[in-house]
Amino acid sequence: MSRPRHPDSYYDDIKRKFAEERDLRLSYRPEGTQQFTSEFDGELAKYGVDPYSGPVEPREAINDTVEVLFIGGGFSALLTSARLREKGVESIRIVERGADVGGTWYWNRYPGAACDVVSYDYLPLLDETGYVPKHHYSRAPEIFAYCQMIAKRYNLYDLAVFQTTVTSTVWNEGEQMWHIDTDRGDHMRARFVICANGTLSKPKLSRIAGMDTFKGHSFHTSRWDYEYTGANLEKLKDKVVGIIGTGATAVQAVPGLGENAKELYVFQRTPSSIDVRDDWPTDQEWAAKLKPGWQAKRRARALADPQLTDEQKARFAAETREEKIRRQERGNIDYMMRIHERIDATVKDKATADALKPWYMFMCKRPCFHNDYLPTFNLPSVHLVDTHGKGITQITEKGPVFDGKQYELDLLIYATGFEVQKTGIYNRIVGRGGVDLEDKYRDGIRTLLGIHTQGFPNLFIMGGYQASFQFNLTDMLQTQGDHIAACVDYVRSNGLKTIDPTSDAEEWWVNEVIMHRGKTGRNQECTPGYYNFEGESQRRQDGNYNGGFKQYFEHQGAVRARMRENFAFG
Ligand code: NDP
């Protein structure tokens, strides 16, 4: 049954409140993305250290040549490698900062870490590996182990180099090769380089006055110190713990912390929307009946047009653009109000319940799904410190201060997120004629499909800007991996050496991106967050391609159908 329609004024009032809450946050932080730092020097250096690996073992510097080199060893590299192997590429090297493959699933081992995309869609290569996930939503350790399984299956450990950070990637025109230097003194060469450094890989911290003076223990969620907390958080039973941030990571970590810490303070700036997490163990009978190619069929569905009845089609066709936007907007507001109702029904203390209510449009921030997060606030030892948009701006040697109150903590956890979709993180990329990619992008990102950028031959970018963005990121990465493998194969099988997009092709794509980004005022209307560059303006082409996932996929195919027009080959 559809819910009763509300009068226009109901939606207008809520939109007004959304705007007030957004403006409040923008007024606190006009500096936008500059409020964060991911350059961890001096006292902050400890936040970048890998707590999961042993000490870095000395090794000889590597000086050799491979055919394909991946910067980063997460899903981008793994699923693209599988496609490259299918095309007969033997010489593949992953260079990875962590001590193993896995990317985000190597780093994010905080308690409760899991993926809230359905596992049968999220985990790539299930047809190829024959693996069936254990649950509808996979937990982090299972996903990490699955990454290792893929790496073994495709012999990716043979040439892989871990605990190594690529520091520069420079094109050598004479050799038609990339020269890659690392922080371990390596000097490698590669015909093709694939930037697979992930969309959210470099942890960032809010710049908070006095944070370096805190005398207790502290770490970022992606560098969880189990030595301190105990494997099951048992060492926290006599500890007062604080967590800064209430995004998707904190939502998963807070229940375990609340259950185990002596006291837990959750410092909130903007609440997340928390919906039901409908999880279950995989039905083994269902799994046993899966036919070969079952995952490919699910993926094809993600790319298919929605199945509409004739009546629905007629109704949508009759709508004006404005009506369509209004209908979607109202649906989104109804959803957010259901999220509010769920909070009221779960959280006993009214003031806490009110403070946990998100006041922004659905999808302005990553929606979260959890069954234990909200009930955690009913525990007497768990305290929500709602800063109402302001955030923590001061930390002393004892802990955070808010509204003149000092919170004395033993442990402070930063759940403050990651640097977003930056190509060449930690790494300087220099293409033809000595052009630095950062300089090329200074007035705006320029790519073809978010994958190629002119003047940087044989370089491919995965998960970066100007590509489509999907709730299930691996769906998008899979299309990119397939496209890249096809391009590499084209070069190899035609006896060519290089592939570089033409300026026309690049110009066409930049314009496509701009055209679709300007379609709605959503970015400006949303509360600040990493989806909208914390409210910064003038970023019209520096975001994702908003023309739709299916269209993005079709554009990839169309570009490949006219290789000689879209690329210059050497
Ligand atoms: P986010 O960037 O989403 O969240 C950072 C949080 O820190 C926000 O709540 C932010 O508040 C808050 N914050 C920043 N500075 C301060 C401050 N000074 N005082 C108080 N609060 C502060 O990072 P996450 O690590 O939570 O998530 C990143 C992304 O990782 C997710 O969006 C999602 O894409 C992915 N992820 C996916 C999961 C999955 O299940 N698939 C699970 C976990 C993460 P504000 O909102 O006001 O900026």
Side-chain angles (χ1 to χ4, degrees):
M1 269 254 291
S2 63
R3 293 163 65 83
R5 277 184 64 89
H6 298 286
D8 286 357
S9 59
Y10 168 88
Y11 294 103
D12 292 344
D13 288 348
I14 290 173
K15 279 184 74 180
R16 207 168 298 122
K17 169 90 170 150
F18 286 178
E20 279 166 22
E21 291 284 322
R22 175 206 59 212
D23 291 347
L24 181 69
R25 284 164 177 78
L26 288 175
S27 73
Y28 285 136
R29 286 175 295 285
E31 71 275 28
T33 53
Q34 292 304 309
Q35 68 184 279
F36 295 106
T37 179
S38 58
E39 297 310 321
F40 297 166
D41 306 323
E43 274 295 309
L44 300 188
K46 62 182 181 194
Y47 295 110
V49 173
D50 180 353
Y52 314 122
S53 65
V56 179
E57 295 290 331
R59 64 162 172 78
E60 291 284 303
I62 300 169
N63 191 326
D64 66 1
T65 304
V66 294
E67 187 160 20
V68 178
L69 185 142
F70 285 94
I71 302 173
F75 272 137
S76 296
L78 298 173
L79 57 83
T80 308
S81 294
R83 295 291 170 254
L84 289 167
R85 289 283 195 235
E86 285 163 13
K87 305 232 181 261
V89 179
E90 280 172 10
S91 166
I92 299 177
R93 168 171 292 150
I94 287 171
V95 183
E96 165 59 56
R97 201 171 152 80
D100 206 331
V101 295
T104 211
W105 302 105
Y106 173 86
W107 294 108
N108 287 288
R109 304 188 193 189
Y110 58 85
C115 182
D116 52 22
V117 176
V118 174
S119 60
Y120 319 118
D121 299 312
Y122 179 72
L123 296 188
L125 304 170
L126 293 178
D127 288 329
E128 288 81 352
T129 59
Y131 184 76
V132 180
K134 296 189 183 114
H135 289 87
H136 189 231
Y137 295 111
S138 296
R139 280 71 167 156
E142 180 189 7
I143 308 177
F144 179 35
Y146 184 64
C147 291
Q148 293 170 316
M149 184 203 279
I150 297 174
K152 280 187 202 126
R153 184 189 166 95
Y154 291 97
N155 301 323
L156 299 173
Y157 282 116
D158 295 355
L159 286 178
V161 184
F162 296 111
Q163 296 182 294
T164 302
T165 301
V166 172
T167 50
S168 83
T169 305
V170 179
W171 178 249
N172 183 308
E173 186 66 25
E175 295 173 15
Q176 310 232 300
M177 282 275 175
W178 285 101
H179 283 226
I180 298 106
D181 285 352
T182 75
D183 65 344
R184 305 287 298 273
D186 306 310
H187 188 85
M188 308 169 191
R189 283 169 299 277
R191 172 79 58 208
F192 301 97
V193 167
I194 303 179
C195 297
N197 56 256
T199 55
L200 297 161
S201 48
K202 196 178 184 190
K204 70 182 190 214
L205 295 168
S206 200
R207 293 178 205 266
I208 304 176
M211 64 198 297
D212 51 344
T213 65
F214 178 57
K215 291 266 194 299
H217 198 66
S218 59
F219 51 79
H220 185 274
T221 48
S222 66
R223 304 287 187 275
W224 197 272
D225 186 353
Y226 279 104
E227 191 80 30
Y228 182 89
T229 64
N232 297 307
L233 308 187
E234 68 281 1
K235 292 188 187 171
L236 297 182
K237 68 176 186 301
D238 59 350
K239 299 282 187 290
V240 180
V241 178
I243 183 164
I244 294 186
T246 49
T249 298
V251 166
Q252 293 182 336
V254 158
L257 291 170
E259 200 183 310
N260 290 285
K262 182 175 151 205
E263 300 275 330
L264 175 69
Y265 291 91
V266 180
F267 298 98
Q268 173 182 273
R269 196 164 78 175
T270 308
S272 284
S273 70
I274 322 283
D275 208 341
V276 175
R277 182 178 176 80
D278 199 7
D279 196 15
W280 59 78
T282 297
D283 176 349
Q284 293 308 319
E285 271 182 43
W286 170 81
K289 284 193 211 129
L290 289 169
K291 301 250 168 27
W294 65 273
Q295 192 184 39
K297 275 199 192 130
R298 289 177 72 104
R299 285 203 189 277
R301 257 182 267 145
L303 282 163
D305 285 321
Q307 298 288 312
L308 300 177
T309 62
D310 288 344
E311 192 209 321
Q312 283 170 322
K313 279 186 205 153
R315 189 151 31 95
F316 293 152
E319 270 180 346
T320 63
R321 210 177 95 79
E322 284 66 33
E323 281 167 343
K324 192 168 169 231
I325 291 174
R326 193 159 63 233
R327 175 173 51 77
Q328 284 169 348
E329 212 172 68
R330 291 183 174 192
N332 287 341
I333 291 175
D334 289 344
Y335 175 82
M336 291 306 278
M337 293 307 111
R338 285 200 291 277
I339 292 292
H340 285 201
E341 285 165 20
R342 186 166 180 253
I343 297 168
D344 281 330
T346 314
V347 178
K348 295 191 182 118
D349 177 65
K350 176 142 182 15
T352 306
D354 282 344
L356 284 165
K357 288 176 185 163
W359 287 98
Y360 47 79
M361 197 64 92
F362 177 57
M363 283 306 286
C364 280
K365 284 184 180 283
R366 166 94 183 191
C368 298
F369 304 88
H370 213 288
N371 302 337
D372 302 325
Y373 179 75
L374 294 173
T376 299
F377 291 94
N378 291 330
L379 296 175
S381 56
V382 176
H383 319 281
L384 180 71
V385 182
D386 178 35
T387 67
H388 195 180
K390 185 160 191 206
I392 293 301
T393 54
Q394 194 195 346
I395 295 178
T396 68
E397 61 179 53
K398 293 181 178 157
V401 177
F402 181 69
D403 238 359
K405 185 167 173 197
Q406 169 80 70
Y407 294 86
E408 277 191 45
L409 304 179
D410 297 304
L411 169 64
L412 177 57
I413 301 166
Y414 290 95
T416 47
F418 301 86
E419 190 85 68
V420 186
Q421 288 185 284
K422 191 168 181 305
T423 302
I425 220 154
Y426 307 106
N427 173 20
R428 182 166 171 252
I429 303 176
V430 180
R432 275 193 170 130
V435 175
D436 191 313
L437 187 64
E438 293 265 324
D439 288 333
K440 170 168 177 175
Y441 283 180
R442 206 159 298 281
D443 295 326
I445 291 170
R446 297 190 64 79
T447 73
L448 170 61
L449 300 167
I451 299 175
H452 317 262
T453 186
Q454 207 237 339
F456 296 75
N458 294 4
L459 183 88
F460 303 94
I461 299 161
M462 297 187 75
Y465 283 133
Q466 298 195 346
S468 183
F469 188 81
Q470 278 296 97
F471 189 72
N472 180 11
L473 188 64
T474 59
D475 267 347
M476 206 286 295
L477 295 175
Q478 189 74 69
T479 70
Q480 292 193 327
D482 291 352
H483 174 87
I484 292 167
C487 290
V488 169
D489 186 49
Y490 186 91
V491 173
R492 295 172 91 234
S493 52
N494 285 285
L496 303 163
K497 287 214 161 124
T498 59
I499 174 169
D500 195 11
T502 64
S503 333
D504 283 355
E506 188 174 277
E507 179 69 11
W508 159 72
W509 187 249
V510 171
N511 285 327
E512 274 294 298
V513 172
I514 291 172
M515 185 176 81
H516 287 286
R517 284 191 73 75
K519 277 196 304 197
T520 70
R522 195 185 157 85
N523 251 15
Q524 288 76 39
E525 287 164 17
C526 269
T527 193
Y530 78 83
Y531 279 10
N532 68 348
F533 304 99
E534 307 295 337
E536 284 178 15
S537 52
Q538 305 301 328
R539 306 288 298 252
R540 60 184 190 149
Q541 78 202 60
D542 294 358
N544 294 108
Y545 165 69
N546 289 345
F549 180 49
K550 180 168 182 274
Q551 288 73 7
Y552 178 65
F553 176 70
E554 286 171 356
H555 280 310
Q556 289 178 347
V559 164
R560 287 199 306 277
R562 293 192 308 277
M563 288 295 248
R564 297 283 170 170
E565 282 169 49
N566 289 309
F567 297 98
F569 293 94

